[in-house]
């Protein structure tokens, strides 16, 4: 709930920044970039499976958003709108370009991820091993399944938000998410088993 | 087979407590986990969980899966994208490229927040300027009457606002670079580089380790215009110091013929010192390089040069030249490791063209380096083909014209002023209709072909007045171990 309240607050702040941008203050748009660049990147890097593509897609999405800012009606949240721009264009880009690379590439990209140094070496190894497995399993999902998982689990979106982002009914989100989780469960069977017994 | 399936169904039923439960949809468990159920569905799930160990187990499995995914550390971009986004946005709006012409330039112009902001005026003007100028370059010969001497580069504060919008980020970038440099093994050239920066590094552009521009050799690349921003001392800007530099490099500067006309029309406008100078230039790459080198060398007048490097970065992201790629990353504020920094320091401006790759190795000695480079590539400086056209700031009278344009929704005529004689086509562009925009798109492609054929490089120079270096230079005072710099390095790797 608090999550939702803060998102409402941020919607108000977003609107103010958008107004200021349209009134001729590009720096205000810079604030929007700062606000959402990591959130968008985090989603895209999981969905696209490549850090480089994700970074490009994030930049390009912001550029397009800036160029089209006048057409933003405010009926949806700015982030929703931004995400759609990013995703649509990333998809069309991916179709034109090479097949997406494995998430393993991202895995080697440690420097970008906050690394937790607190736990004991064993636990840390275990955690990173698990992260690797999850990455691999995610990469094996269909794009549709991966996307819904990323939005729900990593981005923390509610079903209705996901529905809006993907422009599908809430019922579809629910069933898609369920099927995606079942698939992940099968792919991560040993880990799941270990967690349930241990 | 039939019997078998009946048996299966029967056996399944025997596990299920009753018929109602048999209809239970496991999907509800997933939604239950997410707390996305209506109260009655929720009650059903809880009832089910109490009586069905299989459902309970599935819920637990789904929970483990969900937690495992949630536990993946979130990735961050690693750099502040503000500057590059605003740059690219500005560029996108500056250049009526392939996409824009497909949609129609008119539409693009309409999409600018026209009339609502000062910034919009700058962009609208610049976009038209770029579009129109390309028309002129396409048309041979580019002499004389009726050329629109004035395109809306109107408001001083708007321009400054626009151009300095990303300044804080840029400054940060510089800080990172300075820090990275200091961290690199201290050979003499490196130290010189730092000192050089400290000497005149306002805005971090003049002494930037490297400003790079790539130019795709492929024809038809719509983004193929180099944008060079130069920070100039106010008096040098007023005196048009750049003209001498261009002349020295055999780049002819066309005087806008309509200027006299212009003056007479704008008698009410107080002669305000200009603080922006925009030139569109088509010249041989060697001439461009040499011009950049000259501007770079002239610390007294030109405080900083910045070559738009977005395209270069994208291009090199896929190129085989590893060191360039790393260098590029470094330039964007993502520091690679030290050896690569050193490589980067040996480079300066790099432009890739059909003629080959041009670079000036600054610390080898600017002049000598350039000459050697040219000799190596069997090229000579300046064949006199270079041509620059100044895009004049618009007077207030012309603003009024533009306002009228807004009311009438016609692009070309009002933006191009004074009215051209009938025999000069540019003003007839009629950008306001779709035929016109198609024409422009065509012209743009044609101009690219021409440029490619003649090996001319199109460059848009945007000169703005800058402060005295001493006045605004927090970067020089930065200690190498200051927090933002440290952060820059860490983020990099």
């Amino acid at each position: 709930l608090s999550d939702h309240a803060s998102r409402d607050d941020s919607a108000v702040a977003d609107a103010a920044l958008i107004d200021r941008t349209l009134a001729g203050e590009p720096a205000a748009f810079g604030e929007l970039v700062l606000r959402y660049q990591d959130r968008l990147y985090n989603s895209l890097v999981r969905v696209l499976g490549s850090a480089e593509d994700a970074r490009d897609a994030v930049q390009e999405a912001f550029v397009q958003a800036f160029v089209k800012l006048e057409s933003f009606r405010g009926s949806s949240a700015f982030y929703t709108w931004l995400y759609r721009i990013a995703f649509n264009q990333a998809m069309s880009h991916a179709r034109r370009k090479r097949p997406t690379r494995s998430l393993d590439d991202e895995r080697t990209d440690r420097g970008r991820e906050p690394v937790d140094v607190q736990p004991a070496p064993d636990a840390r190894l275990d955690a990173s091993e698990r992260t690797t497995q999850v990455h691999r399993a995610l990469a094996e999902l269909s794009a549709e399944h991966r996307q819904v998982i990323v939005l729900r689990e990593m981005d923390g979106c509610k079903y209705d938000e996901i529905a809006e982002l993907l422009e599908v009914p809430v019922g579809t989100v629910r069933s898609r998410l369920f099927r995606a989780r079942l698939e992940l469960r099968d792919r991560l069977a040993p880990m799941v088993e270990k967690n349930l017994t241990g | 087979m039939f019997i078998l399936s009946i048996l299966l169904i029967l056996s399944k039923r025997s596990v299920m407590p009753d018929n109602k439960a048999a209809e239970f949809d496991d999907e509800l468990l997933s939604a239950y986990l997410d707390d996305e159920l209506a109260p009655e569905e929720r009650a059903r799930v809880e009832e089910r969980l109490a009586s069905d160990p299989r459902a309970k187990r599935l819920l637990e499995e789904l929970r483990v899966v969900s937690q495992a995914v949630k536990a993946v550390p979130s990735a961050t971009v690693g750099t502040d994208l503000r500057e590059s986004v605003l740059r690219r946005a500005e560029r996108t709006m500056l250049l009526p490229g392939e996409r824009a012409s497909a949609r129609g330039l008119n539409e693009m112009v309409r999409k600018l927040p026209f009339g609502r902001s000062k910034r919009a005026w700058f962009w609208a003007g610049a976009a038209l300027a770029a579009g129109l100028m390309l028309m002129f370059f396409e048309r041979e010969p580019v002499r004389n009457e009726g050329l629109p001497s004035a395109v809306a580069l109107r408001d001083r504060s708007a321009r400054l606002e626009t151009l300095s919008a990303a300044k804080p980020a840029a400054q940060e970038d510089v800080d990172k670079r300075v820090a990275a440099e200091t961290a690199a093994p201290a050979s003499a050239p490196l130290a010189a580089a730092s000192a050089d920066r400290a000497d005149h590094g306002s805005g971090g552009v003049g002494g930037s380790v490297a400003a790079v521009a790539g130019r795709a050799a492929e024809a038809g690349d719509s983004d193929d215009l180099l944008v060079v921003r130069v920070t100039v001392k106010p008096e040098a800007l007023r005196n048009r110091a750049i003209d001498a530099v261009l002349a020295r490099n055999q780049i002819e500067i066309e005087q806008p013929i309509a200027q006299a006309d212009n003056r007479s029309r704008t008698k009410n406008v107080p002669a305000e010192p200009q603080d922006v100078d925009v030139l569109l230039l088509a010249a041989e790459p060697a001439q461009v390089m040499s011009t950049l080198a000259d501007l770079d060398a002239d610390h007294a007048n030109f405080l900083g040069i910045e070559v738009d490097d977005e395209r270069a970065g994208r291009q090199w992201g896929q190129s085989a030249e590893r060191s360039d790629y790393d260098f590029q990353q470094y330039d964007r504020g993502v520091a690679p490791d030290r050896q690569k920094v050193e490589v980067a320091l040996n480079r300066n401006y790099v432009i890739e063209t059909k003629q080959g790759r041009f670079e000036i190795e600054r610390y080898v000695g600017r002049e000598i380096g350039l000459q050697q480079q040219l000799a190596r590539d069997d090229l000579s400086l300046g064949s006199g083909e270079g041509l620059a056209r100044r895009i004049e700031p618009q007077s207030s009278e012309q603003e009024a014209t533009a306002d009228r344009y807004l009311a009438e929704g016609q692009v070309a005529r009002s933006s191009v002023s004074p009215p051209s004689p009938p025999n000069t086509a540019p003003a007839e562009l009629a950008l306001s209709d779709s035929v016109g925009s198609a024409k422009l798109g065509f012209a743009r492609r044609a101009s690219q072909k021409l440029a490619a054929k003649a090996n001319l490089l199109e460059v848009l120079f945007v000169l703005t007045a800058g402060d005295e270096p001493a006045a605004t230079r927090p970067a020089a005072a930065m200690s190498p171990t200051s927090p933002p710099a440290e952060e820059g390095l860490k983020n990099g790797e």
Side-chain angles (χ1 to χ4, degrees):
Chain A
L1 269 176
S2 68
D3 192 32
H4 252 249
S6 71
R7 280 193 187 177
D8 284 350
D9 285 353
S10 81
V12 173
D14 286 354
L17 289 171
I18 289 165
D19 285 348
R20 277 166 56 199
T21 308
L22 289 173
E25 194 189 328
F29 193 80
E31 288 308 305
L32 284 169
V33 173
L34 215 51
R35 229 163 214 258
Y36 293 116
Q37 63 170 37
D38 286 339
R39 185 176 169 198
L40 187 60
Y41 176 80
N42 188 39
S43 281
L44 288 178
V45 82
R46 310 300 173 195
V47 173
L48 299 178
S50 148
E52 189 193 333
D53 288 352
R55 180 196 287 252
D56 269 1
V58 169
Q59 291 207 48
E60 192 50 32
F62 276 119
V63 169
Q64 289 306 314
F66 186 88
V67 172
K68 296 179 189 160
L69 197 59
E70 281 244 307
S71 72
F72 174 65
R73 295 272 168 254
S75 57
S76 60
F78 174 74
Y79 182 75
T80 305
W81 186 66
L82 179 70
Y83 183 89
R84 273 208 214 118
I85 293 176
F87 191 75
N88 289 339
Q89 137 212 301
M91 282 293 112
S92 65
H93 189 64
R95 270 195 292 276
R96 264 185 283 121
K97 233 176 120 193
R98 56 185 179 241
T100 46
R101 279 174 296 156
S102 150
L103 277 163
D104 288 353
D105 293 353
E106 170 59 21
R107 188 170 51 83
T108 61
D109 213 1
R110 290 258 123 218
R112 298 227 173 88
E113 295 177 2
V115 179
D116 192 359
V117 290
Q118 301 305 332
D122 272 2
R124 221 169 80 207
L125 194 70
D126 196 40
S128 91
E129 176 58 25
R130 264 201 305 230
T131 298
T132 306
Q133 286 177 19
V134 171
H135 272 148
R136 198 167 294 146
L138 273 176
E140 286 165 351
L141 295 183
S142 71
E144 235 176 31
H145 281 177
R146 189 161 58 230
Q147 198 179 19
V148 78
I149 285 281
V150 166
L151 288 173
R152 169 65 211 152
E153 310 287 24
M154 292 171 159
D155 212 12
C157 290
K158 298 243 149 221
Y159 284 14
D160 56 351
E161 290 169 333
I162 301 175
E164 200 185 347
L165 281 171
L166 303 182
E167 295 175 278
V168 297
V170 173
T172 307
V173 172
R174 193 167 92 169
S175 61
R176 206 179 270 179
L177 190 54
F178 173 59
R179 277 181 277 121
R181 279 175 172 161
L182 280 187
E183 204 180 330
L184 276 182
R185 177 199 64 176
D186 295 343
R187 296 191 183 281
L188 296 171
M191 188 202 289
V192 172
E193 192 60 37
K194 196 175 155 205
N195 263 270
L196 284 179
T197 55
Chain B
M1 187 65 194
F2 181 65
I3 292 168
L4 190 69
S5 32
I6 287 194
L7 278 176
L8 268 174
I9 289 167
L10 282 178
S11 71
K12 212 174 174 186
R13 294 229 159 181
S14 69
V15 178
M16 307 282 175
D18 55 35
N19 276 349
K20 192 184 155 203
E23 290 159 20
F24 184 82
D25 187 352
D26 286 342
E27 194 181 303
L28 291 177
L29 293 172
S30 168
Y32 177 77
L33 192 64
D34 295 324
D35 197 14
E36 291 268 1
L37 289 179
E40 62 274 15
E41 285 176 312
R42 201 183 157 79
R44 248 180 88 197
V45 170
E46 279 163 1
E47 191 187 321
R48 178 74 187 195
L49 287 173
S51 62
D52 181 2
R54 190 202 58 91
K56 207 173 167 190
R57 177 168 171 102
L58 179 55
L59 178 68
E60 285 316 306
E61 288 172 349
L62 294 177
R63 199 193 300 279
V64 170
V65 166
S66 168
Q67 282 165 353
V69 178
K70 279 190 180 123
V72 170
S74 58
T76 59
V77 187
T79 41
D80 183 342
L81 294 180
R82 277 180 297 183
E83 187 195 0
S84 65
V85 163
L86 290 174
R87 271 288 154 72
R88 273 208 218 175
E90 186 189 43
R91 188 189 175 93
T92 303
M93 293 174 107
L94 266 171
L95 300 177
E98 211 63 67
R99 253 173 308 166
S101 58
R103 273 205 311 254
L105 180 63
N106 189 32
E107 196 193 336
M108 191 199 79
V109 170
R110 209 154 25 79
K111 276 188 172 169
L112 295 167
F114 227 169
R116 287 177 66 163
S117 72
K118 294 167 173 179
R119 168 197 72 139
W121 280 109
F122 169 77
W123 274 330
L128 284 171
L132 292 172
M133 288 303 114
L134 288 164
M135 286 297 290
F136 301 139
F137 279 117
E138 198 234 348
R139 291 163 53 78
E140 285 282 311
V142 201
R143 313 267 170 255
N144 264 333
E145 300 80 37
L147 299 171
S149 65
V151 189
L153 278 176
R154 185 191 63 144
D155 189 277
R156 166 185 179 155
S157 58
R159 286 191 304 269
L160 292 179
E161 190 175 51
T162 307
L163 293 167
S164 63
K167 212 155 193 180
Q171 191 58 64
E172 244 174 68
D173 235 64
V174 174
D175 298 345
K176 289 175 189 168
R177 285 181 206 158
V178 170
E181 244 173 68
T182 335
S187 71
L190 298 192
S194 296
D196 192 34
R197 164 112 1 84
D199 277 337
H200 66 108
S202 159
V205 284
S208 78
V209 171
V212 181
R215 176 181 157 102
E218 303 83 43
D221 188 328
S222 63
D223 216 14
D224 217 6
L225 177 71
L226 199 65
V227 180
V228 176
R229 288 153 217 283
V230 188
T231 313
V232 192
K233 268 193 196 163
E235 66 271 20
L237 190 64
R238 270 196 301 280
N239 300 337
R240 302 250 159 105
I242 191 167
D243 287 10
V245 175
L246 292 175
R248 196 153 66 228
N249 290 288
Q250 281 114 56
I251 296 173
E252 186 185 342
I253 303 152
E254 291 218 331
Q255 292 306 323
I257 302 301
Q259 202 169 25
D261 197 4
N262 202 11
R263 230 173 277 131
S264 70
R265 280 161 51 95
T266 59
K267 50 188 178 298
N268 298 334
V269 183
E272 198 184 313
Q274 292 164 8
D275 55 8
V276 69
D277 191 10
V278 180
L279 292 136
L280 192 76
L281 174 157
E284 287 189 4
Q287 286 174 286
V288 175
M289 297 314 303
S290 162
T291 305
L292 285 177
D294 282 354
L295 291 175
D296 190 46
D298 189 349
H299 296 186
N301 288 318
F302 303 101
L303 306 176
I305 307 171
E306 205 169 358
V307 181
D308 196 334
D309 64 351
E310 277 304 323
R311 274 186 39 73
R314 294 168 71 79
Q315 194 184 332
W316 288 352
Q318 300 152 15
S319 111
E321 284 189 77
R322 193 66 206 163
S323 62
D324 286 339
Y325 181 47
D326 291 328
F327 153 57
Q328 187 58 29
Q329 282 208 333
Y330 171 74
D331 199 33
R332 284 166 158 190
V334 182
D337 55 48
R338 294 177 179 192
Q339 295 88 331
K340 285 164 188 164
V341 172
E342 204 170 4
V343 171
L345 278 171
N346 288 331
R347 295 177 190 274
N348 196 0
Y349 305 105
V350 182
I351 294 184
E352 283 179 357
T353 72
K354 278 197 159 170
Q355 282 181 325
R357 182 188 171 86
F358 297 84
E359 57 181 83
I360 298 176
E361 290 161 21
R362 164 183 304 203
Y363 301 114
V364 174
R366 195 170 288 105
E367 280 301 311
I368 298 165
L370 177 65
Q371 295 302 342
Q372 282 175 344
Q373 173 74 25
L374 292 172
R376 207 154 54 226
D377 293 338
D378 196 23
L379 292 166
S380 58
L381 250 189
S383 58
E385 277 188 73
L387 199 60
R389 175 172 295 281
R390 179 160 273 119
I391 301 170
E392 294 285 309
Q394 198 164 26
S395 73
S396 61
E397 179 140 342
Q398 284 147 350
E399 282 166 39
T401 318
D403 279 336
R404 275 205 300 284
Y405 141 66
L406 271 182
E408 293 162 13
Q410 291 171 350
V411 180
R413 285 162 207 285
S414 53
S415 306
V416 178
S417 63
S420 313
N423 66 337
T424 50
E428 301 292 321
L429 263 179
L431 297 182
S432 53
D433 64 44
S434 55
V435 180
S437 46
K439 224 194 242 174
L440 183 77
F442 173 77
R444 170 109 183 104
R445 282 191 295 278
S447 113
Q448 280 164 0
K449 266 185 213 149
L450 189 81
K453 194 172 158 194
N455 289 310
L456 294 185
L457 188 61
E458 289 169 357
V459 187
L460 187 67
F461 274 95
V462 181
L463 293 88
T464 44
D467 299 323
E468 293 297 318
T472 57
R473 205 175 348 103
M478 289 289 303
S479 130
T481 52
S482 64
E486 284 278 1
E487 205 183 317
L489 282 174
K490 271 188 200 143
N491 282 346
E493 206 43 77

